[in-house]
Amino acid sequence: MDIHKEVDARGLNCPLPILRAKKALADMASGQLLKVLATDTGSLRDFQAFARQTGNELVEQQTVGEEFVHILRRR
């Protein structure tokens, strides 16, 4: 996967991971991939809802230890 930008939101609680992702996506071209690293357990459902509401595609979600990895494709 060709990640174009990465946001480190580890240690941040809702809604900060979403806000950081939203800001990063605004600077990206359509089709580019954003990787977000988070430690907030609520980020799993938050990013699912964010993708539905904004039209950005949630390509993948992974749990790696105590971290959550979210990959979004810019609409």
Side-chain angles (χ1 to χ4, degrees):
M1 228 181 293
D2 190 18
I3 303 297
H4 296 91
K5 192 177 274 194
E6 186 171 312
V7 171
D8 185 352
R10 293 176 289 194
L12 302 176
N13 292 321
C14 179
L16 291 175
I18 292 290
L19 294 175
R20 296 261 171 105
K22 185 176 180 179
K23 183 177 184 205
L25 285 166
D27 294 333
M28 295 172 65
S30 181
Q32 289 186 321
L33 294 175
L34 172 67
K35 179 178 182 179
V36 182
L37 303 172
T39 50
D40 182 6
T41 55
S43 69
L44 288 170
R45 70 174 185 282
D46 291 345
F47 275 95
Q48 292 167 7
F50 175 74
R52 275 194 309 275
Q53 292 168 1
T54 63
N56 294 298
E57 178 188 357
L58 184 59
V59 176
E60 187 177 307
Q61 285 186 307
Q62 291 181 356
T63 302
V64 181
E66 294 183 8
E67 294 183 359
F68 305 98
V69 180
H70 312 280
I71 298 179
L72 294 155
R73 183 181 315 276
R74 172 79 160 95
R75 61 176 160 83

